[in-house]
Amino acid sequence: QLFTDGITNKLVACYTDERMADAVLVRVYGRKTELFVDRETELRNFQVLRAHGCAPDLYCAFQNGLCYQFLPGIALGPDHVRDPHIFRLVAQEMARVHAIHTNGSLPRPILWQKLHKYLTLVKTDLSPKVSNPSLQQDVPSLETLEHELAWMKETLSQLGSPVVLCHNDLLCKNIIYDRTQEHVRFIDYEYTGYNYQAFDIGNHFNEPSKDTCGDQPQLAAAACPVVTAAGRLGPGQERHEGFVLRAGMLRAHFSSVFYLLQASHFLWACWGLIQDKYSTIDFNFL
């Protein structure tokens, strides 16, 4: 069975049982994805997540892909992530991933390295000699983008968001909900790495925003009940759900999520420009 939801790689399920009980997945990397995905790091992160029960079994890796266990369940849609029961499961699984520490040293966020790499890759595409007229009209100049990136790094680095192991690509289709086990699992670890915790959360709200909020994607985070809880708690108020939650702490966290969401927009905009040039997948990246 060929899965058609992916916009980076080709994914095929191989099985003999119609119920897919014996299914394995074969993922073939998309064209030129090695330009912006470190495959050795992806494989290492896959193994780390598996060791902590957060990823399926990995059967083998080959030159241009992977073969791994099929996780039963449904890939989430925009409506699922608004369901109070499911978004709490997503938050719990995200917390499990964020709690993994493996490198034995103080981790550094990969965000700035990624952004600089992506912007370097799009420089040629935005050059007046090769860029198509629509790109020159709709995309800011290189000087503007470089200025924006410098401003983001200087400003967002000071927010104090913890650096933790992040998935960094939690769009709906990368979250599998298993009704029988009542849990969710994350898939596809191409962008996994240590990053700002608030980026991972903000990026999760940002990724499905086009589907959930139409022409106003900036409302995606504000529409989520988990985040808007910050606005409902009074000064010094606490709630007990296994831990103490203070309004000031939640508001500060919400602020970091909101600001780092801007970096998510910037990153995926650059990614879209790169994919539009190289990908053979039928998708409007721009």
Side-chain angles (χ1 to χ4, degrees), residues 104-115:
S105 61
L106 187 64
R108 300 176 62 183
I110 64 171
L111 177 62
W112 309 119
Q113 176 190 356
K114 285 281 187 183
L115 286 174

Side-chain angles (χ1 to χ4, degrees), residues 1-177:
Q1 176 182 341
L2 176 65
F3 292 93
T4 58
D5 291 329
I7 57 175
T8 303
N9 308 293
K10 298 291 180 66
L11 186 64
V12 179
C14 304
Y15 54 91
T16 58
D17 186 334
E18 291 185 358
R19 296 171 298 176
M20 299 182 68
D22 60 347
V24 297
L25 296 178
V26 177
R27 176 152 60 94
V28 179
Y29 301 145
R31 180 175 179 267
K32 295 290 185 178
T33 54
E34 70 276 4
L35 291 174
F36 51 88
V37 176
D38 185 329
R39 295 302 180 184
E40 291 186 5
T41 299
E42 176 194 9
L43 185 60
R44 184 167 59 251
N45 287 328
F46 198 130
Q47 294 168 330
V48 167
L49 290 167
R50 177 67 193 98
H52 288 81
C54 296
D57 290 334
L58 177 64
Y59 299 133
C60 68
F62 44 98
Q63 187 173 1
N64 65 330
L66 299 171
C67 179
Y68 51 94
Q69 178 187 13
F70 172 77
L71 293 180
I74 60 170
L76 298 189
D79 291 338
H80 292 118
V81 292
R82 289 178 174 272
D83 183 306
H85 174 65
I86 294 179
F87 72 58
R88 283 182 172 84
L89 294 178
V90 173
Q92 291 169 7
E93 184 65 8
M94 187 182 289
R96 286 213 308 151
V97 173
H98 289 177
I100 297 173
H101 297 283
T102 61
N103 61 2
S105 61
L106 187 64
R108 300 176 62 183
I110 64 171
L111 177 62
W112 309 119
Q113 176 190 356
K114 285 281 187 183
L115 286 174
H116 280 289
K117 183 175 183 177
Y118 286 14
L119 187 55
T120 298
L121 287 170
V122 302
K123 281 183 178 180
T124 302
D125 300 329
L126 296 181
S127 168
K129 294 182 180 180
V130 298
S131 180
N132 64 56
S134 63
L135 281 185
Q136 292 191 39
Q137 180 179 354
D138 298 333
V139 179
S141 67
L142 283 173
E143 292 76 14
T144 299
L145 293 176
E146 289 171 341
H147 176 77
E148 289 287 334
L149 178 53
W151 178 87
M152 282 193 297
K153 184 174 183 179
E154 179 181 0
T155 304
L156 302 183
S157 297
Q158 301 177 29
L159 292 174
S161 179
V163 177
V164 299
L165 186 63
C166 296
H167 185 282
N168 292 316
D169 188 26
L170 281 179
L171 71 163
C172 296
K173 298 301 182 183
N174 281 344
I175 305 173
I176 305 299
Y177 171 48

Side-chain angles (χ1 to χ4, degrees), residues 150-250:
W151 178 87
M152 282 193 297
K153 184 174 183 179
E154 179 181 0
T155 304
L156 302 183
S157 297
Q158 301 177 29
L159 292 174
S161 179
V163 177
V164 299
L165 186 63
C166 296
H167 185 282
N168 292 316
D169 188 26
L170 281 179
L171 71 163
C172 296
K173 298 301 182 183
N174 281 344
I175 305 173
I176 305 299
Y177 171 48
D178 187 339
R179 296 178 186 272
T180 61
Q181 300 295 323
E182 278 303 319
H183 67 211
V184 301
R185 291 292 182 265
F186 303 154
I187 60 173
D188 291 356
Y189 317 113
E190 294 177 298
Y191 306 98
T192 297
Y194 283 93
N195 209 350
Y196 299 113
Q197 184 182 52
F199 175 89
D200 210 20
I201 298 170
N203 184 70
H204 168 60
F205 294 131
N206 187 28
E207 297 238 28
S209 60
K210 183 177 181 181
D211 294 324
T212 56
C213 295
D215 295 330
Q216 301 186 63
Q218 71 274 16
L219 297 180
C224 177
V226 173
V227 176
T228 52
R232 296 198 300 268
L233 292 176
Q237 186 176 349
E238 300 177 357
R239 292 188 178 185
H240 298 268
E241 292 185 4
F243 59 92
V244 176
L245 182 65
R246 297 185 182 276
M249 295 167 55
L250 189 54

